[in-house]
Amino acid sequence: MVTVYVYILDTLADWELGHVISELKSGRFFKKDAQRIALKTVSCSNEPIHTMGGMTIVPDCLIDDIVVNETSVLLLPGADTWSDRKHGTIIEKASEFLSLGATVCAICGATVALANYGLLDNRPHTSNGIGYLDMFSPCYEGKNHYIDKPSVADNNLITASSAGALLWSKQIIKHLNVFQSSTLEYWYEYFSTGEPKHFFALMQSLSSNDE
């Protein structure tokens, strides 16, 4: 079983996590032999957090409860509160994840937190623009590794801009290998274009998976 830890913090950007957590939790489009996924929310305290959209979430566990191995995944969503020093502990944990070969997925404001810790200095990555990282992370030294795309996957590090949530979700799902490749492509095409033909192709790919 793979454990996906979702870090939650006040002002969490609800929409950035929507696609990926709903698919990993429901498993509705998983291939037959897909590994099981355990999804856990994690925070720096037991206190409930309040998302940007006004949702209240009570964490399943604390940072100290995280078990890191090569198959573990850490999702770091965007939020307006990443500058609070109390979140430094999860970034230290993210560094541990990367060192052990576990996967870290950061989007929007969370990329600044990684940049502040030097975790983007030597790896391909993206964010809301180089200027954004320069503005909010004075110690950022990863310009030569910045890729101007909505989402960038570099082995066990997947980063995205605030507008790249869908592609970020696709890359995370691909990394976990829980969809058939055709299912993943049709899933992405449908949610990125809204064209009905991709929805029917998505459903058909599931039927072929059952044969």
Side-chain angles (χ1 to χ4, degrees):
M1 178 184 291
V2 171
T3 301
V4 176
Y5 295 97
V6 183
Y7 189 66
I8 59 172
L9 67 170
D10 282 324
T11 71
L12 181 156
D14 312 62
W15 66 93
E16 293 174 351
L17 288 173
H19 281 292
V20 68
I21 63 174
S22 61
E23 300 304 353
L24 296 181
K25 178 64 176 179
S26 70
R28 59 180 179 162
F29 299 135
F30 279 19
K31 57 186 180 182
K32 280 200 304 185
D33 59 346
Q35 57 194 336
R36 294 174 59 197
I37 303 291
L39 202 67
K40 293 185 178 182
T41 55
V42 58
S43 191
C44 59
S45 78
N46 287 311
E47 295 298 314
I49 68 96
H50 304 285
T51 72
M52 199 175 294
M55 301 292 288
T56 299
I57 305 175
V58 178
D60 296 320
C61 62
L62 300 177
I63 296 171
D64 286 344
D65 299 320
I66 293 176
V67 177
V68 186
N69 56 49
E70 288 186 0
T71 64
S72 303
V73 178
L74 178 62
L75 303 187
L76 301 174
D80 292 336
T81 52
W82 272 110
S83 59
D84 192 317
R85 291 185 179 181
K86 67 184 180 182
H87 302 306
T89 305
I90 194 64
I91 301 305
E92 291 176 3
K93 184 63 69 172
S95 179
E96 181 183 344
F97 266 66
L98 294 173
S99 296
L100 294 176
T103 302
V104 173
C105 310
I107 184 169
C108 191
T111 61
V112 174
L114 295 184
N116 284 333
Y117 204 80
L119 296 178
L120 302 183
D121 289 350
N122 300 298
R123 298 188 59 157
H125 62 277
T126 194
S127 181
N128 295 333
I130 290 181
Y132 174 76
L133 291 177
D134 278 340
M135 181 183 298
F136 293 104
S137 178
C139 59
Y140 172 61
E141 297 182 356
K143 289 184 180 180
N144 291 337
H145 298 282
Y146 188 88
I147 298 175
D148 191 16
K149 291 184 178 180
S151 187
V152 170
D154 177 53
N155 296 315
N156 62 329
L157 175 65
I158 305 174
T159 52
S161 71
S162 57
L166 183 63
L167 181 56
W168 186 64
S169 300
K170 177 188 178 184
Q171 291 175 333
I172 294 168
I173 293 169
K174 180 179 180 180
H175 180 79
L176 289 169
N177 192 30
V178 289
F179 282 20
Q180 289 190 107
S181 58
S182 59
T183 300
L184 182 57
E185 289 304 318
Y186 293 133
W187 176 88
Y188 181 73
E189 289 300 321
Y190 176 63
F191 284 106
S192 59
T193 68
E195 294 182 10
K197 66 179 181 180
H198 298 306
F199 174 79
F200 290 111
L202 172 60
M203 293 299 105
Q204 186 60 43
S205 74
L206 298 177
S207 299
S208 63
N209 187 34
D210 291 333
E211 295 176 357

